[in-house]
């Protein structure tokens, strides 16, 4: 999935949780894009250029180990990372959930239709952004 799709998913997830706190909300949104810090062209990776040199894309940062560590730092961060992993499991490349074991986990059937940047990714991302806008609009119109 593209970073914008992950970001839209994180914003929506943060918006729908009951009784959100600021640290949880920021954590979920940040966690939704954090695993791609290992990619130099990602939203975060381009600002911390040394990390993509040290980490292989879709390696440790795309694992349950990483998500668990982030959960210990901030629950929202861990939840956002899990959201990212779920969406990347829709990709034909899958994710190494049980890193350091190399087996990549994919969501069967769906992963065949969701290459990063493909039509399904763009459709999903657009739908998520539309839902984000509608969710935020309901609060703005309530004032």
């Amino acid at each position: 999935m593209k970073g914008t799709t992950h970001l839209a998913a994180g914003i929506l997830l943060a918006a729908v949780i009951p009784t959100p706190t600021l640290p949880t909300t920021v954590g979920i949104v940040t966690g939704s894009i954090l695993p791609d810090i290992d990619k130099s062209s990602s939203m975060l990776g381009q600002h911390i250029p040394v990390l993509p040199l040290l980490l292989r894309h879709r390696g440790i940062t795309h694992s349950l180990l990483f998500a668990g560590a982030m959960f210990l730092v901030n629950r929202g961060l861990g939840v956002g990372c899990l959201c990212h992993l779920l969406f990347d499991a829709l990709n034909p490349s899958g994710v190494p959930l049980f890193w350091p074991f190399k087996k990549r986990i994919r969501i069967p059937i769906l992963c065949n239709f969701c290459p990063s940047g493909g039509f399904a990714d763009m459709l999903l991302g657009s739908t998520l952004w539309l839902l984000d806008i509608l969710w935020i609009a309901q609060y703005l119109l309530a004032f």
Side-chain angles (χ1 to χ4, degrees), residues 23-90:
T24 301
T25 302
V26 171
I28 290 172
V29 173
T30 303
S32 71
I33 59 172
L34 185 61
D36 280 341
I37 199 165
D38 59 4
K39 187 173 181 185
S40 61
S41 61
S42 73
M43 290 181 202
L44 296 175
Q46 62 185 328
H47 297 290
I48 309 170
V50 71
L51 287 178
L53 297 174
L54 300 172
L55 301 169
R56 200 178 107 242
H57 183 53
R58 291 203 179 162
I60 189 172
T61 62
H62 285 71
S63 69
L64 291 175
L65 177 67
F66 183 77
M70 295 303 102
F71 189 86
L72 294 175
V73 172
N74 172 294
R75 286 183 299 183
L77 206 53
V79 169
C81 286
L82 289 174
C83 176
H84 184 105
L85 299 181
L86 174 68
F87 277 82
D88 271 1
L90 290 170

Side-chain angles (χ1 to χ4, degrees), residues 105-127:
I105 306 301
R106 298 167 192 80
I107 296 176
I109 300 172
L110 292 178
C111 71
N112 296 325
F113 302 104
C114 295
S116 184
F119 177 75
D121 183 5
M122 297 302 178
L123 181 62
L124 180 60
S126 298
T127 302

